[in-house]
Amino acid sequence: MKRDDNEKSVSALKTTLKNALIVSCQPVPGGAMDDSPYVVGFALAALSAGAVGVRVESARYVAAVRAATDAPIIGLIKRDLDDSPVRITPFLDDVTALAEAGADIIAFDATDRVRPLTVEALAKAVRDAGKLSMADCSCVEDARHALATGVDFVGTTMSGYTGGPEPVDPDIDLVTSLRELTPDVIAEGRIRTIEQAQAAARAGASCVVVGSAITRTEHVTAWFRDALAEVYAPAPTVLAVDLGGTKTMAALVQAGEVIDSVVFPTDRNNSCEGWLASIVEAAEPWKGRYNAVGIAVTGAVRDGYWRAMNKATLGIQGEFPLEARAVDLLGFPVVVANDAQAAAWGEFKATDDRSDLVFMTVSTGLGGGIVSDGRLLRGISGHFGQMRGQTIENLPIESRICGPWIAAEAKRLGHECEPKDVFSAADGGQEWAVSIIEAVACRFARLCCDIQLAIDPARIVIGGGVGLATGFLDRVRAEISALSPSATPELWAATLGPKAGIIGIADLALSDRK
Ligand code: ADP
Ligand code: BMX
């Protein structure tokens, strides 16, 4: 094709696709619709109802659709590579195959990741084949780079698929940002509703691609099935409480998600009856919305009774019949547990990893929990903060690691402030603060190494206000490598962050229910 003709056909295609709906006809791989007659059927049905173009995967399906229509086809080939996360049209041969099959536009992954071929090389190959190119981008930088290589369209296709949890909603903000770079923006990815398609158009998309919501029967069926299940068999809602030495969190938890929550300081001068009363008061607005109750508390919990291991963490007097009193006050069966053991269970359930784990909270006190062979160990197991091996005086190790020690030590050095201020000062390089945090990190690192020797868990998960403070884990890891222990613990930050205890006790409230 001569250059002028090519420019004419590029602008003609851009005009055709302007303000249009494109339907992506990609069956679920291996599913009942994964065959040419279905793909062609979906494409012709969509076009007959006003879609202007279709997006089709594989040279085989592009050829089949091309034989049935002259409408614009965006072609792509998906591959699962061993050495690259890039899936969409990674190779030059793919470009050639799609061009030969009759695609008008060839889409390829334009993300900045390990890839077999550069975006430049693919853009050039598409151009050389006399076709238009669509760069499937995950962010503005991808699009800027792709446009510099001369691509014809940029799409939002890859947004949310390059790491981290997959979002539910389409990335309309990315459409807005890409529109500042070029008018040739194709909105694509997770557009499931009419309102979302309109939002993409309003954000400036030149055209909008809708896929699963129109052509993946399996997905649409599952959306309806799940929505109906919520009505026909709602997941039980749990009133979950995590009472620590500094703060108390109460929440409503459904299917492992916190749907409402409140956090308030634990009144350290109160009594067990008083703490329980504050929980009942916090839960009052949720009356009628929950059908199970779980309460996790700092301190030892055995047979429904609650007592302190260390009264400095919270001054629980004697043995308190926590379960029985909570049942009296709330009028529900109640499951009670130690806070750190509940958090250990929450973290175990939060991932698919079924290997043994130890959880430790570095907070007002230092608590812990052990999950071994898929079972949460109960009793006083995991109370690592009570160990005395490393201490000089006859005090538990937690009295020289946690928030109260950090604050007391800062005060001793002439800086009356909160532990989080000590962390900020340490970050800013102030020596008095660095010395405190390093001392804590060093003691905690030794404790982690000892636990590795005693239990040999696949991972030690860390939570708590101090444990999750910025930079703390890195310092502990550095201390561990300086110790060069005979067995190196693998440290993780709690996946559920400060909600580990709440989500864990919510699950125990259902699984331990008598
Ligand atoms: P609890 O002990 O009640 O479960 P936390 O896990 O929040 O509560 O731990 C409380 C301790 O952690 C307190 O000593 C508090 O000062 C400290 N802390 C809380 N947030 C931070 C932070 N961002 N950085 C450092 N320390 C913190
Ligand atoms: C203490 C002990 C543990 C608790 C841990 C963390 C008491 C009152 N508590 O070691 O039972 O798990 O603190 O509790 O003896 P937090 O209050 O710091 O979250």
Side-chain angles (χ1 to χ4, degrees):
M1 201 178 335
K2 284 200 308 243
R3 192 155 186 264
D4 282 355
D5 290 350
N6 193 28
E7 272 167 15
K8 254 186 243 149
S9 75
V10 169
S11 78
L13 196 47
K14 284 191 174 174
T15 308
T16 311
L17 291 177
K18 191 154 172 48
N19 302 345
L21 169 66
I22 296 174
V23 172
S24 182
C25 306
Q26 297 185 51
V28 171
M33 306 289 220
D34 192 4
D35 205 356
S36 293
Y38 297 111
V39 178
V40 172
F42 272 128
L44 294 183
L47 293 167
S48 75
V52 169
V54 288
R55 183 165 154 129
V56 177
E57 195 273 330
S58 83
R60 173 164 83 104
Y61 290 159
V62 168
V65 175
R66 175 51 72 227
T69 176
D70 290 331
I73 300 175
I74 303 175
L76 66 144
I77 289 176
K78 276 188 185 156
R79 296 189 182 282
D80 286 310
L81 305 179
D82 290 335
D83 51 357
S84 164
V86 167
R87 294 185 70 216
I88 301 177
T89 320
F91 299 120
L92 292 184
D93 283 351
D94 297 335
V95 171
T96 313
L98 289 166
E100 282 171 2
D104 303 287
I105 300 171
I106 294 176
F108 54 83
D109 180 311
T111 58
D112 180 18
R113 299 183 289 176
V114 173
R115 42 186 313 131
L117 221 60
T118 61
V119 173
E120 283 86 345
L122 287 165
K124 180 172 182 307
V126 176
R127 230 177 359 258
D128 290 350
K131 304 295 179 180
L132 268 59
S133 50
M134 171 177 177
D136 288 346
C137 303
S138 69
C139 60
V140 179
E141 288 67 39
D142 291 347
R144 195 172 283 129
H145 175 219
L147 288 166
T149 70
V151 299
D152 298 290
F153 295 95
V154 288
T156 55
T157 326
M158 291 305 298
S159 167
Y161 300 117
T162 54
E166 280 182 17
V168 175
D169 292 324
D171 192 349
I172 304 297
D173 288 345
L174 183 58
V175 175
T176 309
S177 306
L178 298 195
R179 188 63 180 77
E180 283 166 18
L181 303 179
T182 171
D184 300 315
V185 177
I186 301 183
E188 176 171 357
R190 302 182 298 277
I191 297 174
R192 290 181 173 189
T193 67
I194 290 163
E195 290 75 21
Q196 289 169 341
Q198 287 178 324
R202 285 195 192 99
S206 151
C207 54
V208 176
V209 179
V210 180
S212 295
I214 297 177
T215 61
R216 282 194 162 172
T217 308
E218 293 92 327
H219 290 197
V220 182
T221 305
W223 300 340
F224 278 90
R225 179 203 61 204
D226 292 347
L228 289 177
E230 267 178 35
V231 178
Y232 287 137
T237 304
V238 183
L239 166 61
V241 178
D242 182 355
L243 183 148
T246 300
K247 63 167 200 326
T248 301
M249 186 187 285
L252 282 186
V253 179
Q254 197 178 44
E257 298 283 339
V258 172
I259 55 177
D260 202 359
S261 67
V262 59
V263 179
F264 53 93
T266 304
D267 176 2
R268 297 179 58 81
N269 298 316
N270 221 326
S271 62
C272 293
E273 280 294 347
W275 292 315
L276 201 49
S278 68
I279 290 169
V280 173
E281 190 188 327
E284 181 63 27
W286 296 326
K287 233 177 180 165
R289 290 181 63 193
Y290 55 86
N291 31 31
V293 182
I295 302 179
V297 287
T298 183
V301 177
R302 206 194 283 269
D303 298 330
Y305 281 81
W306 180 24
R307 71 183 165 93
M309 294 295 283
N310 181 358
K311 288 205 172 75
T313 303
L314 191 64
I316 305 144
Q317 296 301 327
E319 274 215 321
F320 181 74
L322 178 62
E323 183 185 327
R325 286 295 295 138
V327 170
D328 285 349
L329 294 171
L330 290 162
F332 264 96
V334 177
V335 169
V336 292
N338 166 264
D339 57 353
Q341 290 177 352
W345 188 244
E347 284 295 316
F348 180 71
K349 297 285 281 197
T351 71
D352 293 333
D353 190 342
R354 289 291 137 248
S355 43
D356 291 355
L357 77 77
V358 161
F359 173 86
M360 270 199 280
T361 174
V362 190
S363 35
T364 317
L366 193 158
I370 304 165
V371 180
S372 177
D373 283 339
R375 206 170 59 85
L376 175 66
L377 305 192
R378 306 300 275 266
I380 57 161
S381 67
H383 269 91
F384 307 113
Q386 306 310 310
M387 292 176 168
R388 283 158 205 257
Q390 295 180 39
T391 47
I392 310 151
E393 312 96 23
N394 188 24
L395 285 172
I397 183 72
E398 68 182 349
S399 66
R400 291 165 62 79
I401 290 185
C402 299
W405 185 81
I406 296 174
E409 190 62 5
K411 190 173 171 190
R412 196 179 67 79
L413 298 176
H415 301 270
E416 192 150 3
C417 59
E418 293 285 315
K420 69 170 175 352
D421 305 318
V422 181
F423 272 92
S424 312
D427 264 357
Q430 296 189 41
E431 251 172 51
W432 64 272
V434 171
S435 72
I436 295 177
I437 302 304
E438 278 185 351
V440 169
C442 176
R443 288 182 202 124
F444 188 63
R446 285 172 190 274
L447 182 62
C448 291
C449 294
D450 288 351
I451 289 169
Q452 195 63 39
L453 290 174
I455 299 168
D456 197 20
R459 59 196 156 118
I460 299 183
V461 182
I462 311 298
V466 173
L468 296 175
T470 318
F472 180 67
L473 271 193
D474 287 338
R475 283 184 197 266
V476 176
R477 288 191 188 106
E479 294 288 346
I480 290 175
S481 60
L483 289 169
S484 61
S486 44
T488 306
E490 187 173 323
L491 301 192
W492 286 32
T495 309
L496 301 171
K499 292 182 192 155
I502 279 286
I503 293 183
I505 191 65
D507 193 81
L508 291 173
L510 299 174
S511 52
D512 280 12
R513 218 166 13 174
K514 291 163 197 138

